[in-house]
Amino acid sequence: MKGAVHSYLEESIRPYIDLIDTLRSVGIQKDLALPTIAVIGDQSSGKSSVLEALSGVALPRGSGIVTRCPLELRLKKVTGGANWKAVLSYRKKRTEFVDPSFVAGPIKASKLANGKVARPTYDLKKFEFGDPSLVEEHVAAAQNELAGKGVGICDELITLEVMSPDVCDLTLIDLPGIARVPVKGQPEDIGKQIKLLIMKYIEKQETINLVVVPCNTDIATTEALQMAQEVDPDGKRTVGILTKPDLIDRGTEKDILDIVHNKVIPLHKGYTMVKCRGQQQIDEKIPLEEATQIERDFFQNHDYFRDLLPSLNKLSEGKATIECLAVKLTQNLVDHIKKSLPQLNQQIKKMLWDVKNELKDYETGPPEDLKGAKQFLIETLKRFCDQINSLSSGEQMSEENLFVQLRAEFKKWNDHLNSTKTSFSNSKDLSQKNRGRELLGFSNYRVFESVLQEHVAKLKKPAIELLYTIKDIIITHLTDVVSQCFRNYSFLQNTAKDKINNIQLTQQEKTEQRISEQFEMENRVYTQDPIYLKVLNEITNEKFSEDQLPFFDKKCKYSNMLEAYYEVVVQRMADQLPMMILFFMLKQTAELLSTDMLCLLDGANVSELLFEDSEVSRKRKDLRERRNRLSAAQEEISKFFTDYL
Ligand code: GDP
Ligand code: MG
């Protein structure tokens, strides 16, 4: 590709193509469609040969399915003594192919000017070979890695950037060829898979569809052309390429000319005929430059196709040769970009606005830097401890207030205690049964005591049950705080839950121990005299004084005395148990839990602790990436507008 046409084109088009390439390298195509050229055609129609001729780089080819992943070919014309250079990148890998005599010229400079864009970091491999055909091997290896060895396909993009004085400024995407019948080892639906992949590219309004059709087939029945027509019925963004003009049957030339002249299947952007290297020329290792000359000679010497050649300096009007095609495509692509740019700009602005809004709901996550993350962890843990402490002190005012629930349980306990009160009037029976060696009519304090002991002991089981119930309630509330505070952090959640269970288990044992001790103490009947007297007077509706009490030491009055003392027990237990349980199960637990959780900060592996695996965090990550892409894209576009428009 030499001559005046190109130097003219270069100035006016390079920035547009660069802009789109830059947008693509920030990954914006994940959010919206970018203007691009997709190459489609049946298997062996000559797609790769055309791309090869355009780029000057040997691409994998052969019979059967060779292009198995979309291959983005970015062609960049360089001037200033620069030689040849190619960069292959996919996933996070990057391989450079450098001509030993390559002088970093304007490319480096323009790269630096673009340097603001955050590009992915690559594993960089460098090859210093002058031979462009080496790229072929690497593209094939990349395909093997992405699509697996063999014949499968994959929709991950491989990018090949070629910088050379001999190419035009163009970015194209080579797609797998349409296969009719699966070959050995291919899935039954390979044809469908390939078509779906192709459709994904060509159905977008932003794509110019380059349909490659061999001259020696019945073009009307070509599947590629049919697919293009399906998505672009008016042919506004479809370009036809007729290949293999050297292989046509004699006598069909006129029909083919009709096609080229848009008389058969009319396309807005028309057809171009090209002759690439045939298998024999490849086997003979005829270099691409020579092939260009051979192509020219072929058309020059062809009785029918000679007229398709462009007249001097009107390359864009010609209908044959790779050179014409290159100029035509470049012009088309740039027109296309120009047309879609304002809309693209609007789209990016709107998306950026939307994504920023959406992010607001998700932006509570940890900062990405380690220091910020540590601070975030500290704050998260502190907030957790505050919540736990306000829960334990009953400051939390909510529908499901813990203390509302606790009080309800404690009331049940109180009700139960009340229900166990009895008049002890049937204790005549009891007093007979428990009678000691005393003569009839004499009192025995032991009897009195054992009646009470027996009655009080019955309270132990419900007391322990109360403990269990309260424990469950408290655990539920603590766990709620855990889920609330550590919603996205499963590690913190699990750690906290484990701690709660462990602490509650120890505390429960402690409380059970205390409850048992309480009941052992209750075995020794005791209360203060004034308390006892007060209750006794209430029960009997009398107004005895302390010195009148001996009057009661009669069997017939035992029931009053039992009743009075039991009332004292009930009152004592009604308060004692809840206080004990609250103290051990709630207050101490909260304190222990807070301390334990704060201890996590010691030598914390911040990223492990803040590890997120929930939907929310994934969404936030996506949104952030998206925001970064869109911001970068917007920056690029506004820079472009100030620089070039
Ligand atoms: P793809 O499967 O569409 O990528 O097709 P290829 O580019 O691999 O081409 C298939 C075969 O056709 C190869 O052997 C090419 O050498 C051959 N071929 C491509 N274009 C021409 C051409 O213009 N003339 C001749 N004679 N052979 C061609
Ligand atoms: Mg191919």
Side-chain angles (χ1 to χ4, degrees):
M1 305 289 129
K2 283 155 200 148
V5 184
H6 260 284
S7 43
Y8 148 72
L9 276 178
E10 196 183 318
E11 305 241 320
S12 59
I13 62 178
R14 186 69 257 169
Y16 285 94
I17 294 174
D18 270 348
L19 174 69
I20 299 302
D21 284 350
T22 313
L23 293 184
R24 202 177 282 114
S25 57
V26 302
I28 204 78
Q29 73 278 12
K30 286 181 197 149
D31 307 294
L32 41 79
L34 290 175
T36 186
I37 298 178
V39 185
I40 66 170
D42 290 1
Q43 265 178 29
S44 295
S45 54
K47 296 179 298 299
S48 298
S49 301
V50 170
L51 289 175
E52 212 175 68
L54 287 171
S55 63
V57 173
L59 297 173
R61 49 142 132 219
S63 53
I65 179 169
V66 180
T67 306
R68 301 193 290 126
C69 304
L71 175 72
E72 182 192 40
L73 203 58
R74 296 183 188 170
L75 308 180
K76 294 189 173 177
K77 186 177 182 64
V78 288
T79 48
N83 233 318
W84 180 92
K85 177 182 171 175
V87 180
L88 178 70
S89 43
Y90 61 99
R91 285 193 184 155
K92 297 227 153 171
K93 297 202 174 121
R94 184 181 157 96
T95 315
E96 278 187 21
F97 304 87
V98 196
D99 192 319
S101 57
F102 180 75
V103 186
I107 290 270
K108 273 255 166 86
S110 80
K111 269 272 161 90
L112 281 178
N114 278 340
K116 265 197 142 180
V117 178
R119 286 165 197 267
T121 44
Y122 291 106
D123 298 342
L124 183 68
K125 265 194 214 145
K126 235 177 178 160
F127 287 91
E128 296 220 355
F129 294 107
D131 180 9
S133 71
L134 190 77
V135 177
E136 182 178 350
E137 273 174 44
H138 283 265
V139 172
Q143 291 197 10
N144 282 343
E145 195 178 323
L146 299 182
K149 280 211 172 77
V151 284
I153 63 159
C154 155
D155 58 8
E156 268 188 79
L157 192 70
I158 298 175
T159 299
L160 180 63
E161 207 171 320
V162 177
M163 287 152 264
S164 154
D166 303 326
V167 295
C168 53
D169 286 301
L170 201 57
T171 298
L172 317 103
I173 297 177
D174 187 16
L175 293 167
I178 301 164
R180 283 161 221 278
V181 257
V183 298
K184 195 166 160 268
Q186 272 181 339
E188 270 303 305
D189 65 341
I190 186 79
K192 212 172 127 203
Q193 279 185 34
I194 294 173
K195 276 195 191 168
L196 276 177
L197 174 59
I198 292 175
M199 268 298 175
K200 225 170 80 181
Y201 283 86
I202 67 170
E203 69 187 358
K204 290 183 186 143
Q205 292 306 311
E206 291 76 7
T207 309
I208 296 177
N209 300 329
L210 207 61
V211 183
V212 178
V213 186
C215 290
N216 58 351
T217 53
D218 181 4
I219 136 158
T221 64
T222 323
E223 196 138 14
L225 202 53
Q226 279 170 8
M227 285 178 77
Q229 279 183 308
E230 211 176 291
V231 292
D232 175 33
D234 302 334
K236 286 212 174 80
R237 50 186 185 90
T238 304
V239 177
I241 299 185
L242 298 166
T243 55
K244 310 189 185 179
D246 51 327
L247 298 182
I248 56 170
D249 290 337
R250 256 168 214 273
T252 56
E253 293 92 347
K254 282 217 169 92
D255 297 340
I256 291 163
L257 275 178
D258 281 349
I259 294 169
V260 182
H261 288 122
N262 235 348
K263 287 180 188 158
V264 184
I265 300 176
L267 297 175
H268 242 75
K269 295 190 184 295
Y271 294 82
T272 306
M273 188 186 285
V274 297
K275 186 202 139 337
C276 299
R277 293 185 301 174
Q279 199 53 54
Q280 196 190 347
Q281 288 169 312
I282 292 163
D283 295 341
E284 287 166 12
K285 290 204 183 343
I286 293 190
L288 281 165
E289 304 105 78
E290 205 181 319
T292 312
Q293 190 53 48
I294 294 174
E295 184 191 32
R296 212 156 230 295
D297 294 345
F298 167 79
F299 283 111
Q300 213 91 63
N301 299 329
H302 202 285
D303 291 340
Y304 291 86
F305 299 153
R306 187 183 300 129
D307 292 343
L308 297 174
L309 279 174
S311 51
L312 207 64
N313 276 340
K314 288 217 167 158
L315 271 180
S316 56
E317 284 167 26
K319 289 193 183 323
T321 74
I322 284 287
E323 205 174 355
C324 277
L325 177 66
V327 175
K328 182 174 165 183
L329 287 181
T330 310
Q331 201 55 59
N332 264 312
L333 181 62
V334 170
D335 287 349
H336 202 56
I337 295 173
K338 277 184 188 162
K339 238 190 290 167
S340 27
L341 210 50
Q343 195 202 341
L344 198 66
N345 193 23
Q346 278 315 107
Q347 249 178 314
I348 290 177
K349 271 194 187 140
K350 163 130 193 2
M351 287 176 126
L352 190 57
W353 168 263
D354 288 347
V355 82
K356 278 183 177 165
N357 271 339
E358 207 176 335
L359 250 178
K360 278 185 195 150
D361 299 339
Y362 288 92
E363 204 62 298
T364 46
E368 275 138 311
D369 64 300
L370 186 66
K371 197 161 162 255
K374 176 113 194 197
Q375 190 58 37
F376 179 86
L377 176 64
I378 294 173
E379 277 159 22
T380 308
L381 289 176
K382 266 167 77 181
R383 203 173 326 114
F384 173 73
C385 294
D386 287 350
Q387 291 235 24
I388 291 293
N389 289 326
S390 77
L391 178 76
S392 113
S393 57
E395 279 160 27
Q396 228 187 21
M397 307 292 269
S398 71
E399 290 274 303
E400 313 246 289
N401 193 321
L402 170 62
F403 278 81
V404 171
Q405 258 174 294
L406 294 181
R407 207 168 287 122
E409 290 305 320
F410 293 149
K411 183 177 178 306
K412 279 188 211 158
W413 167 242
N414 195 39
D415 291 348
H416 174 74
L417 287 173
N418 285 332
S419 75
T420 59
K421 288 183 200 166
T422 128
S423 63
F424 294 94
S425 53
N426 294 338
S427 36
K428 192 180 118 215
D429 190 33
L430 270 174
S431 50
Q432 284 298 333
K433 206 167 72 187
N434 292 303
R435 186 179 163 192
R437 61 175 198 87
E438 71 279 7
L439 286 178
L440 195 65
F442 280 91
S443 57
N444 180 350
Y445 187 62
R446 284 280 310 123
V447 174
F448 179 86
E449 228 178 15
S450 71
V451 168
L452 278 173
Q453 281 166 347
E454 210 173 292
H455 205 61
V456 172
K458 285 195 194 128
L459 294 176
K460 187 172 172 184
K461 195 166 162 259
I464 299 289
E465 277 164 11
L466 175 67
L467 167 66
Y468 293 165
T469 313
I470 300 295
K471 177 190 162 197
D472 288 346
I473 293 174
I474 291 178
I475 287 189
T476 311
H477 280 262
L478 291 175
T479 315
D480 281 353
V481 177
V482 169
S483 326
Q484 214 182 78
C485 290
F486 306 141
R487 183 168 17 134
N488 303 330
Y489 312 105
S490 58
F491 189 90
L492 285 178
Q493 267 196 41
N494 293 336
T495 313
K497 283 180 188 164
D498 281 355
K499 286 190 189 298
I500 289 174
N501 285 330
N502 288 337
I503 294 171
Q504 283 295 65
L505 209 63
T506 334
Q507 291 302 103
Q508 179 196 316
E509 278 170 16
K510 227 189 221 177
T511 321
E512 269 190 77
Q513 178 65 28
R514 292 298 150 91
I515 292 175
S516 295
E517 284 164 8
Q518 181 68 32
F519 278 94
E520 275 176 46
M521 289 183 241
E522 291 295 342
N523 256 336
R524 308 184 60 92
V525 173
Y526 173 78
T527 188
Q528 299 277 0
D529 293 344
I531 297 176
Y532 182 61
L533 189 63
K534 186 169 169 268
V535 180
L536 193 62
N537 280 336
E538 274 167 19
I539 285 171
T540 54
N541 262 331
E542 307 270 0
K543 278 199 165 57
F544 295 112
S545 60
E546 275 183 45
D547 47 3
Q548 289 173 297
L549 266 190
F551 163 79
F552 265 85
D553 191 7
K554 296 182 189 140
K555 283 231 166 89
C556 59
K557 291 287 177 192
Y558 272 9
S559 70
N560 287 139
M561 287 159 84
L562 284 166
E563 213 178 309
Y565 181 76
Y566 193 69
E567 180 63 35
V568 172
V569 172
V570 161
Q571 285 186 12
R572 192 158 55 207
M573 291 291 219
D575 288 344
Q576 183 78 354
L577 259 281
M579 287 172 83
M580 210 145 63
I581 296 176
L582 280 182
F583 179 75
F584 290 114
M585 299 308 284
L586 186 59
K587 183 165 182 291
Q588 280 198 346
T589 299
E591 283 167 6
L592 290 169
L593 182 62
S594 297
T595 325
D596 265 23
M597 287 308 283
L598 286 176
C599 279
L600 286 178
L601 287 171
D602 285 346
N605 180 342
V606 178
S607 60
E608 186 187 30
L609 287 177
L610 288 179
F611 177 74
E612 297 177 280
D613 57 357
S614 71
E615 208 44 54
V616 182
S617 68
R618 210 170 306 131
K619 177 84 185 176
R620 178 176 50 239
K621 194 164 159 273
D622 286 352
L623 285 173
R624 275 187 185 159
E625 279 172 9
R626 190 137 180 243
R627 178 198 54 200
N628 295 347
R629 283 199 298 269
L630 289 163
S631 308
Q634 200 185 31
E635 211 174 292
E636 286 300 320
I637 290 186
S638 54
K639 207 162 71 194
F640 178 83
F641 281 146
T642 40
D643 286 357
Y644 297 105
L645 297 182

